[in-house]
Amino acid sequence: MRPLKHLVILAFAACFGIAPAKARFRSPESLIRNVYAYYGAGIAELSKGLQRDPETARQFFDPGLRNAWTAPRDAPYDFLVQSPTWKLGPVSTAILRKQFDKTYVAVSFDNHGRAITLNFIVVNSPDGWLISDVESPHDSLRLFLDQFRR
C-alpha cells in the first residue's frame, strides 16, 4: 500500500509542477547565472565563490569534471573569476554556437574593473545543463585543476 501512496503523491506533484528538490538548470544562461550568484557581495553563503563540495559539483559539472573540482588543490586564484578576490560587475552571456551535444557560451564581466571573458562549454544532460569545461584565453578549467592538484 505504501508504494501506491508514494506514487499518488508523485503524480499529484507532477500535475501541479512541483518537482523534487533537485537543481536542474533549464538553459545555459540559467546555469551561468547560478554559478556567478556565488560570487556576490550579499549573503555570506553566496559570497565565498562556487563551493568545492560533492553536492555542488554534481549540481554544476558533468561527471568528468566533478572529481577534479572537489579534489584538494593549491590554486593561486579562482579560475571562474580569474583572481583570488572578486568584486564583479554585471555578468553577460551570449551563446556562440551549438555543436553536436555541446553549447559554447561566452561570458563576460569585470572583476575589480578588469575585463574578463570566458567561454563555458556546457552540455544538456538528463540532469539539466552542466559545465563540461571553461576556457580562458590562456587555459582551460580542466587543465588548471589538474595543474594545481595536491
Side-chain angles (χ1 to χ4, degrees):
M1 190 70 161
R2 279 186 185 223
L4 181 60
K5 181 180 178 182
H6 292 290
L7 185 59
V8 170
I9 290 170
L10 288 174
F12 177 79
C15 287
F16 290 97
I18 303 168
K22 188 172 188 178
R24 293 186 174 170
F25 302 111
R26 294 183 181 188
S27 71
E29 295 88 353
S30 174
L31 171 61
I32 305 301
R33 280 193 304 274
N34 279 278
V35 165
Y36 286 103
Y38 284 88
Y39 294 90
I43 301 170
E45 296 81 36
L46 296 178
S47 301
K48 297 178 182 178
L50 192 62
Q51 302 301 305
R52 303 281 180 166
D53 61 278
E55 183 180 329
T56 302
R58 195 174 317 104
Q59 182 179 4
F60 287 95
F61 298 104
D62 74 359
L65 194 53
R66 288 177 191 157
N67 289 339
W69 183 255
T70 57
R73 77 189 39 75
D74 294 317
Y77 60 92
D78 188 320
F79 189 87
L80 297 176
V81 292
Q82 298 287 296
S83 175
T85 61
W86 54 84
K87 184 173 182 179
L88 304 184
V91 176
S92 65
T93 61
I95 294 185
L96 296 175
R97 71 180 180 271
K98 295 179 181 185
Q99 187 175 28
F100 304 108
D101 63 335
K102 296 178 181 174
T103 298
Y104 294 78
V105 183
V107 176
S108 57
F109 54 89
D110 70 84
N111 185 7
H112 291 291
R114 187 174 133 235
I116 306 291
T117 301
L118 299 170
N119 290 323
F120 279 69
I121 303 167
V122 298
V123 293
N124 194 1
S125 74
D127 292 328
W129 288 92
L130 297 170
I131 300 167
S132 177
D133 204 356
V134 181
E135 298 172 334
S136 74
H138 309 287
D139 207 353
S140 77
L141 179 59
R142 285 180 188 273
L143 294 174
F144 178 82
L145 294 174
D146 285 343
Q147 178 181 2
F148 293 105
R149 181 176 276 174
R150 280 191 226 157

PDB file of all heavy atoms in Angstrom, residues 51-54 57-58 61-75 131-133 140-150:
ATOM      1  N   GLN A  51      31.278  26.599  -4.305  1.00  0.00           N
ATOM      2  CA  GLN A  51      31.756  25.630  -3.317  1.00  0.00           C
ATOM      3  C   GLN A  51      32.424  24.429  -3.977  1.00  0.00           C
ATOM      4  O   GLN A  51      32.103  24.071  -5.099  1.00  0.00           O
ATOM      5  CB  GLN A  51      30.592  25.173  -2.437  1.00  0.00           C
ATOM      6  CG  GLN A  51      29.892  26.318  -1.722  1.00  0.00           C
ATOM      7  CD  GLN A  51      30.823  27.102  -0.823  1.00  0.00           C
ATOM      8  OE1 GLN A  51      31.471  26.541   0.042  1.00  0.00           O
ATOM      9  NE2 GLN A  51      30.921  28.400  -1.039  1.00  0.00           N
ATOM     10  N   ARG A  52      33.326  23.774  -3.247  1.00  0.00           N
ATOM     11  CA  ARG A  52      34.097  22.637  -3.758  1.00  0.00           C
ATOM     12  C   ARG A  52      33.576  21.295  -3.242  1.00  0.00           C
ATOM     13  O   ARG A  52      34.246  20.289  -3.350  1.00  0.00           O
ATOM     14  CB  ARG A  52      35.562  22.772  -3.341  1.00  0.00           C
ATOM     15  CG  ARG A  52      36.204  24.048  -3.790  1.00  0.00           C
ATOM     16  CD  ARG A  52      36.572  23.957  -5.218  1.00  0.00           C
ATOM     17  NE  ARG A  52      37.208  25.199  -5.646  1.00  0.00           N
ATOM     18  CZ  ARG A  52      37.859  25.308  -6.755  1.00  0.00           C
ATOM     19  NH1 ARG A  52      37.967  24.272  -7.546  1.00  0.00           N
ATOM     20  NH2 ARG A  52      38.390  26.443  -7.100  1.00  0.00           N
ATOM     21  N   ASP A  53      32.378  21.267  -2.688  1.00  0.00           N
ATOM     22  CA  ASP A  53      31.832  20.036  -2.138  1.00  0.00           C
ATOM     23  C   ASP A  53      31.193  19.179  -3.233  1.00  0.00           C
ATOM     24  O   ASP A  53      30.849  19.670  -4.297  1.00  0.00           O
ATOM     25  CB  ASP A  53      30.814  20.355  -1.034  1.00  0.00           C
ATOM     26  CG  ASP A  53      29.655  21.160  -1.570  1.00  0.00           C
ATOM     27  OD1 ASP A  53      29.776  22.395  -1.698  1.00  0.00           O
ATOM     28  OD2 ASP A  53      28.611  20.550  -1.875  1.00  0.00           O
ATOM     29  N   PRO A  54      31.025  17.872  -2.977  1.00  0.00           N
ATOM     30  CA  PRO A  54      30.465  16.966  -3.988  1.00  0.00           C
ATOM     31  C   PRO A  54      29.052  17.343  -4.449  1.00  0.00           C
ATOM     32  O   PRO A  54      28.721  17.191  -5.623  1.00  0.00           O
ATOM     33  CB  PRO A  54      30.460  15.599  -3.298  1.00  0.00           C
ATOM     34  CG  PRO A  54      31.522  15.701  -2.254  1.00  0.00           C
ATOM     35  CD  PRO A  54      31.511  17.137  -1.802  1.00  0.00           C
ATOM     36  N   ALA A  57      29.371  20.178  -6.895  1.00  0.00           N
ATOM     37  CA  ALA A  57      29.989  19.660  -8.117  1.00  0.00           C
ATOM     38  C   ALA A  57      28.968  18.890  -8.948  1.00  0.00           C
ATOM     39  O   ALA A  57      28.925  19.029 -10.172  1.00  0.00           O
ATOM     40  CB  ALA A  57      31.179  18.768  -7.772  1.00  0.00           C
ATOM     41  N   ARG A  58      28.128  18.089  -8.304  1.00  0.00           N
ATOM     42  CA  ARG A  58      27.101  17.314  -9.008  1.00  0.00           C
ATOM     43  C   ARG A  58      26.067  18.238  -9.655  1.00  0.00           C
ATOM     44  O   ARG A  58      25.552  17.970 -10.723  1.00  0.00           O
ATOM     45  CB  ARG A  58      26.414  16.362  -8.023  1.00  0.00           C
ATOM     46  CG  ARG A  58      25.606  15.282  -8.668  1.00  0.00           C
ATOM     47  CD  ARG A  58      25.049  14.262  -7.661  1.00  0.00           C
ATOM     48  NE  ARG A  58      25.990  13.844  -6.633  1.00  0.00           N
ATOM     49  CZ  ARG A  58      25.969  14.280  -5.347  1.00  0.00           C
ATOM     50  NH1 ARG A  58      25.062  15.123  -4.940  1.00  0.00           N
ATOM     51  NH2 ARG A  58      26.853  13.857  -4.475  1.00  0.00           N
ATOM     52  N   PHE A  61      28.629  20.490 -12.586  1.00  0.00           N
ATOM     53  CA  PHE A  61      29.623  19.959 -13.508  1.00  0.00           C
ATOM     54  C   PHE A  61      29.254  18.582 -14.034  1.00  0.00           C
ATOM     55  O   PHE A  61      28.632  17.795 -13.339  1.00  0.00           O
ATOM     56  CB  PHE A  61      30.987  19.887 -12.821  1.00  0.00           C
ATOM     57  CG  PHE A  61      31.504  21.228 -12.407  1.00  0.00           C
ATOM     58  CD1 PHE A  61      31.456  21.625 -11.081  1.00  0.00           C
ATOM     59  CD2 PHE A  61      32.012  22.110 -13.342  1.00  0.00           C
ATOM     60  CE1 PHE A  61      31.908  22.876 -10.692  1.00  0.00           C
ATOM     61  CE2 PHE A  61      32.473  23.362 -12.967  1.00  0.00           C
ATOM     62  CZ  PHE A  61      32.423  23.742 -11.642  1.00  0.00           C
ATOM     63  N   ASP A  62      29.700  18.292 -15.254  1.00  0.00           N
ATOM     64  CA  ASP A  62      29.487  16.958 -15.814  1.00  0.00           C
ATOM     65  C   ASP A  62      30.377  15.965 -15.052  1.00  0.00           C
ATOM     66  O   ASP A  62      31.308  16.363 -14.348  1.00  0.00           O
ATOM     67  CB  ASP A  62      29.721  16.946 -17.320  1.00  0.00           C
ATOM     68  CG  ASP A  62      31.173  17.016 -17.740  1.00  0.00           C
ATOM     69  OD1 ASP A  62      32.073  17.102 -16.883  1.00  0.00           O
ATOM     70  OD2 ASP A  62      31.420  16.988 -18.953  1.00  0.00           O
ATOM     71  N   PRO A  63      30.071  14.670 -15.169  1.00  0.00           N
ATOM     72  CA  PRO A  63      30.815  13.675 -14.392  1.00  0.00           C
ATOM     73  C   PRO A  63      32.332  13.741 -14.576  1.00  0.00           C
ATOM     74  O   PRO A  63      33.077  13.501 -13.633  1.00  0.00           O
ATOM     75  CB  PRO A  63      30.262  12.338 -14.896  1.00  0.00           C
ATOM     76  CG  PRO A  63      28.888  12.664 -15.355  1.00  0.00           C
ATOM     77  CD  PRO A  63      28.971  14.053 -15.932  1.00  0.00           C
ATOM     78  N   GLY A  64      32.797  14.085 -15.749  1.00  0.00           N
ATOM     79  CA  GLY A  64      34.235  14.144 -15.992  1.00  0.00           C
ATOM     80  C   GLY A  64      34.947  15.266 -15.264  1.00  0.00           C
ATOM     81  O   GLY A  64      36.163  15.228 -15.094  1.00  0.00           O
ATOM     82  N   LEU A  65      34.241  16.270 -14.824  1.00  0.00           N
ATOM     83  CA  LEU A  65      34.855  17.425 -14.165  1.00  0.00           C
ATOM     84  C   LEU A  65      34.586  17.452 -12.658  1.00  0.00           C
ATOM     85  O   LEU A  65      35.262  18.164 -11.928  1.00  0.00           O
ATOM     86  CB  LEU A  65      34.330  18.707 -14.824  1.00  0.00           C
ATOM     87  CG  LEU A  65      35.039  20.020 -14.565  1.00  0.00           C
ATOM     88  CD1 LEU A  65      36.530  19.931 -14.865  1.00  0.00           C
ATOM     89  CD2 LEU A  65      34.412  21.127 -15.394  1.00  0.00           C
ATOM     90  N   ARG A  66      33.648  16.663 -12.199  1.00  0.00           N
ATOM     91  CA  ARG A  66      33.258  16.690 -10.770  1.00  0.00           C
ATOM     92  C   ARG A  66      34.409  16.360  -9.834  1.00  0.00           C
ATOM     93  O   ARG A  66      34.643  17.077  -8.858  1.00  0.00           O
ATOM     94  CB  ARG A  66      32.108  15.726 -10.517  1.00  0.00           C
ATOM     95  CG  ARG A  66      30.825  16.205 -11.076  1.00  0.00           C
ATOM     96  CD  ARG A  66      29.714  15.201 -10.877  1.00  0.00           C
ATOM     97  NE  ARG A  66      28.570  15.621 -11.673  1.00  0.00           N
ATOM     98  CZ  ARG A  66      27.626  14.821 -12.084  1.00  0.00           C
ATOM     99  NH1 ARG A  66      27.644  13.535 -11.745  1.00  0.00           N
ATOM    100  NH2 ARG A  66      26.634  15.279 -12.809  1.00  0.00           N
ATOM    101  N   ASN A  67      35.114  15.272 -10.097  1.00  0.00           N
ATOM    102  CA  ASN A  67      36.210  14.884  -9.202  1.00  0.00           C
ATOM    103  C   ASN A  67      37.321  15.917  -9.199  1.00  0.00           C
ATOM    104  O   ASN A  67      37.907  16.204  -8.155  1.00  0.00           O
ATOM    105  CB  ASN A  67      36.762  13.514  -9.586  1.00  0.00           C
ATOM    106  CG  ASN A  67      35.788  12.411  -9.245  1.00  0.00           C
ATOM    107  OD1 ASN A  67      34.907  12.571  -8.406  1.00  0.00           O
ATOM    108  ND2 ASN A  67      35.941  11.282  -9.910  1.00  0.00           N
ATOM    109  N   ALA A  68      37.636  16.460 -10.350  1.00  0.00           N
ATOM    110  CA  ALA A  68      38.676  17.490 -10.420  1.00  0.00           C
ATOM    111  C   ALA A  68      38.271  18.728  -9.617  1.00  0.00           C
ATOM    112  O   ALA A  68      39.103  19.348  -8.961  1.00  0.00           O
ATOM    113  CB  ALA A  68      38.954  17.860 -11.872  1.00  0.00           C
ATOM    114  N   TRP A  69      36.992  19.087  -9.648  1.00  0.00           N
ATOM    115  CA  TRP A  69      36.512  20.275  -8.937  1.00  0.00           C
ATOM    116  C   TRP A  69      36.627  20.098  -7.418  1.00  0.00           C
ATOM    117  O   TRP A  69      36.940  21.040  -6.709  1.00  0.00           O
ATOM    118  CB  TRP A  69      35.076  20.597  -9.330  1.00  0.00           C
ATOM    119  CG  TRP A  69      34.556  21.830  -8.683  1.00  0.00           C
ATOM    120  CD1 TRP A  69      33.677  21.918  -7.646  1.00  0.00           C
ATOM    121  CD2 TRP A  69      34.911  23.188  -9.004  1.00  0.00           C
ATOM    122  NE1 TRP A  69      33.466  23.229  -7.303  1.00  0.00           N
ATOM    123  CE2 TRP A  69      34.209  24.030  -8.129  1.00  0.00           C
ATOM    124  CE3 TRP A  69      35.760  23.756  -9.947  1.00  0.00           C
ATOM    125  CZ2 TRP A  69      34.321  25.409  -8.163  1.00  0.00           C
ATOM    126  CZ3 TRP A  69      35.869  25.142  -9.987  1.00  0.00           C
ATOM    127  CH2 TRP A  69      35.156  25.949  -9.097  1.00  0.00           C
ATOM    128  N   THR A  70      36.371  18.889  -6.931  1.00  0.00           N
ATOM    129  CA  THR A  70      36.358  18.665  -5.480  1.00  0.00           C
ATOM    130  C   THR A  70      37.712  18.231  -4.924  1.00  0.00           C
ATOM    131  O   THR A  70      37.886  18.206  -3.707  1.00  0.00           O
ATOM    132  CB  THR A  70      35.306  17.604  -5.102  1.00  0.00           C
ATOM    133  OG1 THR A  70      35.584  16.401  -5.802  1.00  0.00           O
ATOM    134  CG2 THR A  70      33.903  18.080  -5.434  1.00  0.00           C
ATOM    135  N   ALA A  71      38.684  17.896  -5.764  1.00  0.00           N
ATOM    136  CA  ALA A  71      39.995  17.441  -5.294  1.00  0.00           C
ATOM    137  C   ALA A  71      40.743  18.571  -4.587  1.00  0.00           C
ATOM    138  O   ALA A  71      40.624  19.738  -4.967  1.00  0.00           O
ATOM    139  CB  ALA A  71      40.821  16.935  -6.484  1.00  0.00           C
ATOM    140  N   PRO A  72      41.518  18.219  -3.562  1.00  0.00           N
ATOM    141  CA  PRO A  72      42.315  19.256  -2.871  1.00  0.00           C
ATOM    142  C   PRO A  72      43.337  19.862  -3.828  1.00  0.00           C
ATOM    143  O   PRO A  72      43.918  19.160  -4.647  1.00  0.00           O
ATOM    144  CB  PRO A  72      43.015  18.485  -1.753  1.00  0.00           C
ATOM    145  CG  PRO A  72      42.423  17.135  -1.719  1.00  0.00           C
ATOM    146  CD  PRO A  72      41.702  16.905  -3.000  1.00  0.00           C
ATOM    147  N   ARG A  73      43.549  21.162  -3.701  1.00  0.00           N
ATOM    148  CA  ARG A  73      44.492  21.842  -4.585  1.00  0.00           C
ATOM    149  C   ARG A  73      45.031  23.099  -3.932  1.00  0.00           C
ATOM    150  O   ARG A  73      44.461  23.609  -2.991  1.00  0.00           O
ATOM    151  CB  ARG A  73      43.857  22.177  -5.923  1.00  0.00           C
ATOM    152  CG  ARG A  73      42.940  23.367  -5.928  1.00  0.00           C
ATOM    153  CD  ARG A  73      42.166  23.559  -7.192  1.00  0.00           C
ATOM    154  NE  ARG A  73      41.672  22.373  -7.811  1.00  0.00           N
ATOM    155  CZ  ARG A  73      40.631  21.665  -7.375  1.00  0.00           C
ATOM    156  NH1 ARG A  73      39.996  22.058  -6.323  1.00  0.00           N
ATOM    157  NH2 ARG A  73      40.244  20.588  -7.996  1.00  0.00           N
ATOM    158  N   ASP A  74      46.123  23.562  -4.480  1.00  0.00           N
ATOM    159  CA  ASP A  74      46.749  24.810  -4.042  1.00  0.00           C
ATOM    160  C   ASP A  74      46.732  25.784  -5.213  1.00  0.00           C
ATOM    161  O   ASP A  74      47.779  26.168  -5.735  1.00  0.00           O
ATOM    162  CB  ASP A  74      48.188  24.550  -3.587  1.00  0.00           C
ATOM    163  CG  ASP A  74      48.247  23.679  -2.346  1.00  0.00           C
ATOM    164  OD1 ASP A  74      47.444  23.913  -1.421  1.00  0.00           O
ATOM    165  OD2 ASP A  74      49.080  22.755  -2.301  1.00  0.00           O
ATOM    166  N   ALA A  75      45.562  26.179  -5.633  1.00  0.00           N
ATOM    167  CA  ALA A  75      45.435  27.080  -6.778  1.00  0.00           C
ATOM    168  C   ALA A  75      45.714  28.514  -6.345  1.00  0.00           C
ATOM    169  O   ALA A  75      45.276  28.943  -5.271  1.00  0.00           O
ATOM    170  CB  ALA A  75      44.034  26.972  -7.373  1.00  0.00           C
ATOM    171  N   ILE A 131      28.280  22.036 -16.757  1.00  0.00           N
ATOM    172  CA  ILE A 131      29.529  22.557 -17.313  1.00  0.00           C
ATOM    173  C   ILE A 131      30.452  21.393 -17.654  1.00  0.00           C
ATOM    174  O   ILE A 131      30.745  20.554 -16.809  1.00  0.00           O
ATOM    175  CB  ILE A 131      30.224  23.494 -16.303  1.00  0.00           C
ATOM    176  CG1 ILE A 131      29.316  24.681 -15.974  1.00  0.00           C
ATOM    177  CG2 ILE A 131      31.580  23.951 -16.831  1.00  0.00           C
ATOM    178  CD1 ILE A 131      29.775  25.489 -14.772  1.00  0.00           C
ATOM    179  N   SER A 132      30.930  21.380 -18.895  1.00  0.00           N
ATOM    180  CA  SER A 132      31.891  20.378 -19.340  1.00  0.00           C
ATOM    181  C   SER A 132      33.316  20.919 -19.236  1.00  0.00           C
ATOM    182  O   SER A 132      34.242  20.192 -18.927  1.00  0.00           O
ATOM    183  CB  SER A 132      31.583  19.972 -20.774  1.00  0.00           C
ATOM    184  OG  SER A 132      32.529  19.071 -21.245  1.00  0.00           O
ATOM    185  N   ASP A 133      33.482  22.212 -19.497  1.00  0.00           N
ATOM    186  CA  ASP A 133      34.778  22.872 -19.348  1.00  0.00           C
ATOM    187  C   ASP A 133      34.563  24.382 -19.447  1.00  0.00           C
ATOM    188  O   ASP A 133      33.502  24.845 -19.877  1.00  0.00           O
ATOM    189  CB  ASP A 133      35.763  22.414 -20.421  1.00  0.00           C
ATOM    190  CG  ASP A 133      37.227  22.586 -20.008  1.00  0.00           C
ATOM    191  OD1 ASP A 133      37.496  23.130 -18.906  1.00  0.00           O
ATOM    192  OD2 ASP A 133      38.113  22.184 -20.780  1.00  0.00           O
ATOM    193  N   SER A 140      42.355  26.230 -19.677  1.00  0.00           N
ATOM    194  CA  SER A 140      41.010  25.688 -19.503  1.00  0.00           C
ATOM    195  C   SER A 140      40.867  25.254 -18.051  1.00  0.00           C
ATOM    196  O   SER A 140      41.865  24.995 -17.363  1.00  0.00           O
ATOM    197  CB  SER A 140      40.756  24.503 -20.437  1.00  0.00           C
ATOM    198  OG  SER A 140      41.383  23.344 -19.946  1.00  0.00           O
ATOM    199  N   LEU A 141      39.640  25.190 -17.576  1.00  0.00           N
ATOM    200  CA  LEU A 141      39.391  24.808 -16.186  1.00  0.00           C
ATOM    201  C   LEU A 141      39.949  23.417 -15.911  1.00  0.00           C
ATOM    202  O   LEU A 141      40.581  23.188 -14.873  1.00  0.00           O
ATOM    203  CB  LEU A 141      37.896  24.869 -15.867  1.00  0.00           C
ATOM    204  CG  LEU A 141      37.486  24.476 -14.451  1.00  0.00           C
ATOM    205  CD1 LEU A 141      38.155  25.367 -13.409  1.00  0.00           C
ATOM    206  CD2 LEU A 141      35.971  24.530 -14.306  1.00  0.00           C
ATOM    207  N   ARG A 142      39.748  22.470 -16.816  1.00  0.00           N
ATOM    208  CA  ARG A 142      40.258  21.102 -16.607  1.00  0.00           C
ATOM    209  C   ARG A 142      41.772  21.093 -16.423  1.00  0.00           C
ATOM    210  O   ARG A 142      42.299  20.467 -15.506  1.00  0.00           O
ATOM    211  CB  ARG A 142      39.891  20.205 -17.778  1.00  0.00           C
ATOM    212  CG  ARG A 142      38.448  19.792 -17.798  1.00  0.00           C
ATOM    213  CD  ARG A 142      38.162  18.888 -18.993  1.00  0.00           C
ATOM    214  NE  ARG A 142      36.748  18.653 -19.109  1.00  0.00           N
ATOM    215  CZ  ARG A 142      36.101  17.671 -18.478  1.00  0.00           C
ATOM    216  NH1 ARG A 142      36.758  16.853 -17.701  1.00  0.00           N
ATOM    217  NH2 ARG A 142      34.799  17.524 -18.628  1.00  0.00           N
ATOM    218  N   LEU A 143      42.492  21.778 -17.295  1.00  0.00           N
ATOM    219  CA  LEU A 143      43.961  21.825 -17.198  1.00  0.00           C
ATOM    220  C   LEU A 143      44.408  22.556 -15.942  1.00  0.00           C
ATOM    221  O   LEU A 143      45.364  22.146 -15.282  1.00  0.00           O
ATOM    222  CB  LEU A 143      44.552  22.479 -18.442  1.00  0.00           C
ATOM    223  CG  LEU A 143      44.357  21.709 -19.741  1.00  0.00           C
ATOM    224  CD1 LEU A 143      44.848  22.531 -20.933  1.00  0.00           C
ATOM    225  CD2 LEU A 143      45.042  20.356 -19.682  1.00  0.00           C
ATOM    226  N   PHE A 144      43.731  23.633 -15.609  1.00  0.00           N
ATOM    227  CA  PHE A 144      44.031  24.410 -14.410  1.00  0.00           C
ATOM    228  C   PHE A 144      43.890  23.549 -13.162  1.00  0.00           C
ATOM    229  O   PHE A 144      44.776  23.521 -12.306  1.00  0.00           O
ATOM    230  CB  PHE A 144      43.094  25.623 -14.349  1.00  0.00           C
ATOM    231  CG  PHE A 144      43.263  26.479 -13.125  1.00  0.00           C
ATOM    232  CD1 PHE A 144      44.262  27.437 -13.063  1.00  0.00           C
ATOM    233  CD2 PHE A 144      42.400  26.343 -12.044  1.00  0.00           C
ATOM    234  CE1 PHE A 144      44.409  28.239 -11.941  1.00  0.00           C
ATOM    235  CE2 PHE A 144      42.529  27.142 -10.926  1.00  0.00           C
ATOM    236  CZ  PHE A 144      43.545  28.089 -10.869  1.00  0.00           C
ATOM    237  N   LEU A 145      42.773  22.828 -13.040  1.00  0.00           N
ATOM    238  CA  LEU A 145      42.536  21.994 -11.861  1.00  0.00           C
ATOM    239  C   LEU A 145      43.559  20.862 -11.772  1.00  0.00           C
ATOM    240  O   LEU A 145      44.028  20.531 -10.676  1.00  0.00           O
ATOM    241  CB  LEU A 145      41.110  21.439 -11.879  1.00  0.00           C
ATOM    242  CG  LEU A 145      40.002  22.479 -11.738  1.00  0.00           C
ATOM    243  CD1 LEU A 145      38.641  21.831 -11.916  1.00  0.00           C
ATOM    244  CD2 LEU A 145      40.094  23.221 -10.411  1.00  0.00           C
ATOM    245  N   ASP A 146      43.924  20.269 -12.903  1.00  0.00           N
ATOM    246  CA  ASP A 146      44.944  19.206 -12.904  1.00  0.00           C
ATOM    247  C   ASP A 146      46.319  19.757 -12.511  1.00  0.00           C
ATOM    248  O   ASP A 146      47.070  19.101 -11.803  1.00  0.00           O
ATOM    249  CB  ASP A 146      45.031  18.546 -14.272  1.00  0.00           C
ATOM    250  CG  ASP A 146      43.863  17.612 -14.546  1.00  0.00           C
ATOM    251  OD1 ASP A 146      43.158  17.228 -13.585  1.00  0.00           O
ATOM    252  OD2 ASP A 146      43.641  17.283 -15.727  1.00  0.00           O
ATOM    253  N   GLN A 147      46.620  20.940 -12.976  1.00  0.00           N
ATOM    254  CA  GLN A 147      47.938  21.532 -12.721  1.00  0.00           C
ATOM    255  C   GLN A 147      48.163  21.806 -11.242  1.00  0.00           C
ATOM    256  O   GLN A 147      49.283  21.641 -10.743  1.00  0.00           O
ATOM    257  CB  GLN A 147      48.067  22.834 -13.518  1.00  0.00           C
ATOM    258  CG  GLN A 147      49.359  23.560 -13.316  1.00  0.00           C
ATOM    259  CD  GLN A 147      49.412  24.839 -14.113  1.00  0.00           C
ATOM    260  OE1 GLN A 147      48.481  25.217 -14.796  1.00  0.00           O
ATOM    261  NE2 GLN A 147      50.524  25.547 -14.019  1.00  0.00           N
ATOM    262  N   PHE A 148      47.138  22.229 -10.515  1.00  0.00           N
ATOM    263  CA  PHE A 148      47.316  22.620  -9.122  1.00  0.00           C
ATOM    264  C   PHE A 148      46.796  21.588  -8.130  1.00  0.00           C
ATOM    265  O   PHE A 148      46.641  21.876  -6.954  1.00  0.00           O
ATOM    266  CB  PHE A 148      46.673  23.975  -8.876  1.00  0.00           C
ATOM    267  CG  PHE A 148      47.385  25.070  -9.608  1.00  0.00           C
ATOM    268  CD1 PHE A 148      46.826  25.616 -10.749  1.00  0.00           C
ATOM    269  CD2 PHE A 148      48.626  25.527  -9.186  1.00  0.00           C
ATOM    270  CE1 PHE A 148      47.490  26.617 -11.448  1.00  0.00           C
ATOM    271  CE2 PHE A 148      49.294  26.506  -9.872  1.00  0.00           C
ATOM    272  CZ  PHE A 148      48.725  27.064 -11.010  1.00  0.00           C
ATOM    273  N   ARG A 149      46.545  20.364  -8.605  1.00  0.00           N
ATOM    274  CA  ARG A 149      46.099  19.287  -7.712  1.00  0.00           C
ATOM    275  C   ARG A 149      47.236  18.909  -6.766  1.00  0.00           C
ATOM    276  O   ARG A 149      48.383  18.817  -7.169  1.00  0.00           O
ATOM    277  CB  ARG A 149      45.666  18.077  -8.531  1.00  0.00           C
ATOM    278  CG  ARG A 149      45.163  16.934  -7.674  1.00  0.00           C
ATOM    279  CD  ARG A 149      44.665  15.830  -8.513  1.00  0.00           C
ATOM    280  NE  ARG A 149      43.291  16.151  -8.855  1.00  0.00           N
ATOM    281  CZ  ARG A 149      42.541  15.466  -9.670  1.00  0.00           C
ATOM    282  NH1 ARG A 149      43.033  14.419 -10.291  1.00  0.00           N
ATOM    283  NH2 ARG A 149      41.309  15.809  -9.909  1.00  0.00           N
ATOM    284  N   ARG A 150      46.896  18.712  -5.488  1.00  0.00           N
ATOM    285  CA  ARG A 150      47.911  18.302  -4.500  1.00  0.00           C
ATOM    286  C   ARG A 150      48.255  16.859  -4.677  1.00  0.00           C
ATOM    287  O   ARG A 150      47.524  16.020  -5.032  1.00  0.00           O
ATOM    288  CB  ARG A 150      47.373  18.495  -3.082  1.00  0.00           C
ATOM    289  CG  ARG A 150      47.457  19.908  -2.636  1.00  0.00           C
ATOM    290  CD  ARG A 150      47.159  19.997  -1.158  1.00  0.00           C
ATOM    291  NE  ARG A 150      46.234  21.112  -0.984  1.00  0.00           N
ATOM    292  CZ  ARG A 150      45.434  21.244   0.031  1.00  0.00           C
ATOM    293  NH1 ARG A 150      45.400  20.359   0.967  1.00  0.00           N
ATOM    294  NH2 ARG A 150      44.646  22.277   0.141  1.00  0.00           N
TER     295      ARG A 150
END
